[in-house]
Amino acid sequence: MTSFTRAVAAENSGDLEEARARYLEVLQTEPQNPRALHRLGVVELRLGRPREAVILFQKSLAIAKDLDVYLDFGAAMAALDRWDAAATVYAAALRVAPASVDAHYGLALALHRQGRPQDAEPHYRNVLATHSHLGEVHNNLGVALQDLGRVAEAAAAHREAARLDPSDATAWSKLGVALHRMGRGAEAEAAFRKAIGFAPQDADNWHNLAGLLDAAGRPAEALAPGRLAVALAPASARNWLALGNAAHAAQRLQEAWRAASAAVLLEPSDPAARNNLANALRELGRPQDAVAQYRAALDLQPDFPVAEINLALLLSSLRDADGALAVLRTLLARQPANGEAWRRLGGVLAEAVRPDAAVAVLRNAVALDPGEPDAHVDLAMAAAMAGWSTLSVDACRRVLRLVPGHAAALGQLVHQQRLLCDWRDLDALESLLLRRVREGAEGVSPFDVLSCASTLADQQSAAARWAATKARGAVPVARPAASAALDGRLRIGYLSADFREHAMGHLMVDALETHDRSRFAVTAYSTGIDDGSALRQRFEQGIERFVDLRRHTDADAARTIAADGIDILVDLTGFTTFSRTSILAARPAPVQVNWLGYPGTLGAGFVDYIVADPTVIAPGEEGFFTERVVRLPDCYQPNDRRRAIAEATPMRAECGLPADGFVFCCFNSAYKLTPALFDGWARILAAVPGSVLWLYAGNPQVAANLRREAEARGVDPRRLVFAKPLPHAEHLARHRLADLFLDTLPYNAHTTASDALWAGLPVLTRCGTTFAGRVAASLLRAAGLPELIVDDQEAYEAAAAALARSPDRLRDLRQRLARNRPVCPLFDTPRFTRHLEAAYRAMWESHRVGGAPQPITIATDDTGGPKSAMQGEGEAT
């Protein structure tokens, strides 16, 4: 037996060291023996010495071009992860033997591993042309096709592999991946479960199932397979990431944090793991820790748009608008076509109360992605903030074309069309909006519902869903154990965005200044802008403590209020513009109250009381208010006794009014006007020849639309006169030129009615069926003019015409109003404040004895002061 024969025998028996020795013997005598060089190379490869094997294969091939040597050489290069070299060797093999299945397969694998699936595909297919029974090749072809985005073809390849071997767990798993990418979730789930059945210990199968269930909106179901994947392969960061994603979506926040932390521990240089950990920390209410992790992710991968956008949104929520803008602008400098980044930039600008800039940015977002409804929604909102109602209407209509059932856009559209007095198809839109509210649609602003022909039940339903949204993520704050002030005073906090030149500011300033400081410690918490006005300065100087929370996050603001030991927190903003309801959701005060800013229920379990009066909330309506109703004896609305009226009265001509003729006026916001109301006004003008209707129109489009509506009703458009904006004192002075204020319904005049009465102008109103539609009636009763309240449209029109024809009666009303003004409850702010304080004491007493909030009615003594605060399960009488 020759040395070569003995070497081959030793190799075949597995005695590799003996084989190596014998092949070396052969090469000592025959150093150019290609077969010995080849076989020794194979032995070295099997002994784990691929580098030595490569040298031997090269020597053998230099002597003779042999297919088997090329194939083994290619395997050696693959073992060294030298896939480029392996591809070169297998290509050389094909030049020697073009039909070699092994060479084609080796080249396919080498090309695929280099990230060249398009070059690998024909070689996989060449193998399958003669060896179609090889499931492994079908699977690898499928992976290449998936890499090329040809997912349906990939699924077919994996399905064929599974057909050839129904127990091939790999085939089922890869088929599931392809089907998932195709959006065929049920089939993908079935495939993954088949894979699990055949290979239950393969963590990848559980990982894939967890990802599928999470993506399908079934995160609670994804948790179990995610946990199994982690248990089977705890050293795999991707498994922890998948579990963390499912836990995050399932609101299992602590588990999401633990999973993301494990992923970061295993792969500290993985930016995706850092981003996920930041997401978890953000949801746990640890925003600063989240910021640090987002920044760590971006240090690892500066070009990471998802993390950049997440960081920017978090910074914006932390009131760091400059930081958020810097992050997004850096991203956009690098990716100017990133529509999502433009949209988020617009949102940050809007949040920072820079609506004009937000509109410009959001135009870019919709231009880049016109089919993205969220971009149009954001543009609609920013345009509304900027006062560009026409643009807002257009954006809302685009949203509804893209998503016909979009409730928020529908509500916004209705409100913006009302602001423009654009009544085209308005009745149908309002009916649709109310239907959506009654169906339980989310996203409808309760404020948009108030001015529709809505019921108290509609308003409560919309408010409850809105409040629940605002409460998401709010974490209750810790309050001091002893909340009673050391000086024995009750600590009242007023929360508002409107401590400035604003209708609410004018109403509440005097009442807040008039509090009895010996019994009440008053703090104003401002979340709105400082407009530098005299009214703002009056708030800051006239209230015991003034705290600016505008740049505080909701959580920080709640902590500040709680740390101050506030006993009763009164929200003066409600669901109007710039509200910060999430502050209340954190429960910074033991008693929380809804008053003045929003004429309706907040629908929130975290608000205990609503301040009202017997007119705006009639007995028996308490069930439509989530809060307990507190009824003050006269009117729920305070007024400012120091409200200045300019001494000089403008000439009629200066205001565009005719020299003669009766002047009806209504200075309400345009959104309170309705087609039915305008029908009635047209009939009143027809009944009073020579009369004009004086309206407020801040937007020129309003005047144009109303003139068109007047003409359509047979009224000369010139009989409509439009008032321009003026400083408040001058605005009050021009009321002297009007003869009668005509109120609106279903949303009354509120501050505008008290302005008119303060200026000496009688107001004619109809009493509606909701809080917002009864405010003027409450004001008139408190002013001593209840006869100006009528019940229906016919009486309203008849009364307006009759007063216009009865100058003596109208003069009598003006004189009574002038006599009443110094003494009537409506303008007696000290009287009002004593009643309000009595209500606060009753609220606090109920809390002090450990009882639940109860309805409260403030009665008066003979002097008009508070006599008692009556409480009970039913409304006290």
Side-chain angles (χ1 to χ4, degrees):
M1 181 181 291
T2 66
S3 293
F4 187 84
T5 304
R6 285 195 298 272
V8 171
E11 181 184 351
N12 290 339
S13 69
D15 189 351
L16 299 181
E17 289 295 345
E18 174 66 16
R20 182 174 183 273
R22 296 298 171 224
Y23 284 131
L24 287 172
E25 284 182 8
V26 173
L27 290 171
Q28 283 179 354
T29 57
E30 300 178 66
Q32 296 300 307
N33 186 325
R35 292 178 62 204
L37 289 166
H38 172 211
R39 296 318 307 171
L40 179 57
V42 171
V43 169
E44 295 284 17
L45 190 61
R46 292 177 68 185
L47 286 169
R49 295 196 283 262
R51 296 184 186 280
E52 290 80 352
V54 165
I55 294 170
L56 292 163
F57 293 144
Q58 288 173 330
K59 288 181 177 180
S60 176
L61 288 170
I63 299 165
K65 307 300 184 188
D66 184 275
L67 174 63
D68 288 339
V69 180
Y70 276 116
L71 295 177
D72 289 333
F73 188 6
M77 300 312 297
L80 290 168
D81 283 331
R82 290 284 309 282
W83 294 103
D84 52 344
T88 301
V89 172
Y90 285 125
L94 284 173
R95 288 193 292 273
V96 172
S100 170
V101 171
D102 290 331
H104 276 293
Y105 193 40
L107 181 55
L109 292 174
L111 292 168
H112 201 170
R113 290 298 295 268
Q114 291 181 73
R116 297 165 60 187
Q118 71 279 10
D119 296 326
E121 179 192 355
H123 296 286
Y124 284 134
R125 293 195 182 279
N126 193 292
V127 174
L128 291 172
T130 56
H131 291 69
S132 60
H133 61 287
L134 298 177
E136 177 186 332
V137 183
H138 283 288
N139 275 331
N140 284 332
L141 172 62
V143 173
L145 292 168
Q146 288 209 53
D147 292 343
L148 291 169
R150 291 152 59 187
V151 186
E153 295 176 69
H158 295 310
R159 199 182 296 279
E160 178 62 13
R163 186 192 68 79
L164 291 167
D165 182 0
S167 65
D168 183 351
T170 298
W172 287 113
S173 179
K174 294 184 182 302
L175 174 60
V177 171
L179 291 169
H180 187 192
R181 289 184 63 188
M182 294 167 67
R184 291 159 65 173
E187 295 175 70
E189 181 179 349
F192 287 143
R193 293 193 184 279
K194 283 257 193 183
I196 288 168
F198 292 120
Q201 298 303 308
D202 187 335
D204 283 348
N205 294 333
W206 293 108
H207 169 94
N208 289 339
L209 179 60
L212 170 76
L213 294 171
D214 185 30
R218 298 156 60 189
E221 296 176 59
L223 289 172
R227 290 166 184 154
L228 278 166
V230 162
L232 289 166
S236 168
R238 67 191 291 266
N239 288 342
W240 286 106
L241 284 174
L243 176 59
N245 288 338
H248 188 270
Q251 288 297 294
R252 298 286 298 257
L253 301 182
Q254 286 292 338
E255 185 171 10
W257 168 68
R258 287 193 296 272
S261 297
V264 168
L265 188 63
L266 289 164
E267 294 287 353
S269 62
D270 182 356
R274 296 278 184 179
N275 179 69
N276 282 18
L277 178 56
N279 291 341
L281 289 165
R282 181 193 65 211
E283 293 297 322
L284 283 172
R286 296 169 56 184
Q288 297 302 335
D289 292 336
V291 167
Q293 289 299 328
Y294 284 133
R295 293 199 184 280
L298 293 171
D299 287 342
L300 291 164
Q301 182 181 322
D303 187 2
F304 192 175
V306 169
E308 288 169 285
I309 288 172
N310 285 341
L311 173 59
L313 293 178
L314 180 55
L315 291 173
S316 180
S317 75
L318 292 170
R319 305 279 158 177
D320 181 4
D322 292 340
L325 294 173
V327 171
L328 290 169
R329 284 171 176 152
T330 298
L331 169 56
L332 286 165
R334 195 176 66 250
Q335 295 185 7
N338 189 322
E340 173 74 359
W342 283 110
R343 184 171 81 84
R344 297 303 188 177
L345 180 61
V348 172
L349 289 166
E351 185 72 21
V353 197
R354 297 173 58 186
D356 290 350
V359 167
V361 162
L362 289 164
R363 286 182 188 274
N364 286 342
V366 299
L368 285 165
D369 197 352
E372 171 52 61
D374 287 344
H376 293 287
V377 169
D378 290 353
L379 176 58
M381 296 299 177
M385 286 179 64
W388 300 356
S389 292
T390 301
L391 177 59
S392 185
V393 164
D394 290 342
C396 288
R397 290 190 177 276
R398 287 180 181 272
V399 175
L400 291 168
R401 283 197 291 272
L402 292 167
V403 186
H406 201 293
L410 178 60
Q412 177 82 341
L413 174 61
V414 167
H415 189 68
Q416 293 302 313
Q417 284 198 201
R418 279 187 167 282
L419 279 170
L420 289 169
C421 292
D422 177 0
W423 297 333
R424 296 169 297 173
D425 64 7
L426 186 61
D427 288 344
L429 289 171
E430 286 192 0
S431 296
L432 178 58
L433 177 63
L434 291 176
R435 185 162 72 248
R436 295 303 316 282
V437 169
R438 291 162 190 166
E439 291 169 350
E442 292 193 1
V444 178
S445 167
F447 190 82
D448 294 343
V449 178
L450 290 184
S451 54
C452 298
S454 56
T455 65
L456 288 171
D458 295 331
Q459 294 175 14
Q460 185 182 42
S461 176
R465 284 190 291 276
W466 193 261
T469 300
K470 297 297 181 182
R472 286 176 194 155
V475 179
V477 296
R479 298 193 296 259
S483 55
L486 295 177
D487 57 9
R489 295 188 297 167
L490 201 59
R491 295 192 178 278
I492 311 296
Y494 289 100
L495 179 68
S496 179
D498 301 323
F499 294 118
R500 57 192 171 95
E501 187 64 37
H502 185 277
M504 290 299 102
H506 283 288
L507 290 180
M508 62 188 166
V509 63
D510 197 1
L512 271 58
E513 291 171 334
T514 312
H515 268 303
D516 181 352
R517 293 195 178 185
S518 69
R519 303 175 71 186
F520 296 89
V522 177
T523 302
Y525 293 103
S526 174
T527 60
I529 61 171
D530 178 355
D531 61 357
S533 63
L535 189 56
R536 171 71 173 213
Q537 293 172 18
R538 187 175 161 191
F539 275 117
E540 292 182 356
Q541 296 166 7
I543 299 173
E544 187 170 344
R545 288 182 70 236
F546 190 95
V547 179
D548 191 342
L549 297 178
R550 184 184 169 206
R551 298 197 178 278
H552 284 56
T553 66
D554 291 344
D556 286 342
R559 282 191 285 268
T560 297
I561 294 168
D564 287 346
I566 294 298
D567 299 315
I568 300 176
L569 180 62
V570 184
D571 179 33
L572 296 167
T573 308
F575 293 141
T576 59
T577 307
F578 308 123
S579 65
R580 300 277 295 275
T581 313
S582 295
I583 296 174
L584 292 149
R587 267 289 181 182
V591 177
Q592 301 192 151
V593 182
N594 168 22
W595 175 46
L596 191 61
Y598 183 76
T601 181
L602 296 184
F606 48 80
V607 179
D608 305 297
Y609 295 99
I610 181 171
V611 177
D613 60 50
T615 298
V616 293
I617 301 180
E621 293 178 343
E622 293 83 4
F624 296 108
F625 293 81
T626 307
E627 310 89 339
R628 288 291 187 242
V629 176
V630 177
R631 289 187 175 90
L632 302 184
D634 304 311
C635 179
Y636 85 105
Q637 187 191 94
N639 273 281
D640 178 16
R641 296 163 298 163
R642 294 166 56 189
R643 198 170 356 181
I645 305 176
E647 291 185 8
T649 302
M651 302 296 291
R652 276 195 166 201
E654 293 176 56
C655 296
L657 297 168
D660 299 308
F662 195 88
V663 177
F664 296 104
C665 91
C666 179
F667 291 146
N668 282 358
S669 176
Y671 73 85
K672 297 184 181 182
L673 278 56
T674 70
L677 177 79
F678 207 70
D679 289 342
W681 284 353
R683 289 189 290 268
I684 291 170
L685 290 173
V688 183
S691 63
V692 296
L693 179 59
W694 195 13
L695 303 170
Y696 177 78
N699 186 326
Q701 190 63 42
V702 171
N705 286 340
L706 288 178
R707 287 191 176 105
R708 185 185 64 248
E709 294 291 342
E711 191 168 23
R713 289 163 173 79
V715 174
D716 185 344
R718 289 174 295 181
R719 296 181 69 183
L720 301 185
V721 180
F722 294 96
K724 64 182 180 181
L726 286 177
H728 194 65
E730 295 175 36
H731 168 64
L732 292 176
R734 67 182 167 188
H735 282 73
R736 300 180 187 124
L737 301 178
D739 297 299
L740 181 65
F741 189 110
L742 296 178
D743 195 18
T744 53
L745 203 70
Y747 201 131
N748 279 175
H750 293 188
T751 308
T752 46
S754 61
D755 280 347
L757 294 171
W758 179 251
L761 177 63
V763 175
L764 177 66
T765 191
R766 284 176 57 194
C767 195
T769 57
T770 67
F771 191 136
R774 295 174 178 163
V775 171
S778 175
L779 298 174
L780 285 164
R781 287 193 174 103
L785 297 175
E787 64 267 44
L788 290 177
I789 307 165
V790 298
D791 292 328
D792 56 44
Q793 182 65 25
E794 185 177 354
Y796 175 82
E797 293 176 26
L803 284 168
R805 299 190 195 101
S806 306
D808 292 342
R809 187 178 167 210
L810 197 59
R811 183 169 51 254
D812 177 64
L813 286 169
R814 282 183 174 275
Q815 290 171 351
R816 281 173 54 201
L817 184 54
R819 288 195 303 272
N820 289 351
R821 197 178 85 159
V823 296
C824 70
L826 182 61
F827 300 119
D828 188 343
T829 307
R831 169 190 170 106
F832 173 88
T833 307
R834 299 295 86 78
H835 292 156
L836 184 64
E837 290 172 343
Y840 289 155
R841 288 196 297 271
M843 295 176 199
W844 186 248
E845 181 62 19
S846 180
H847 170 74
R848 189 188 64 79
V849 300
Q854 297 293 325
I856 296 171
T857 295
I858 303 301
T860 58
D861 59 22
D862 294 338
T863 67
K867 182 174 65 177
S868 63
M870 295 175 285
Q871 305 179 40
E873 290 298 329
E875 193 66 27
T877 58

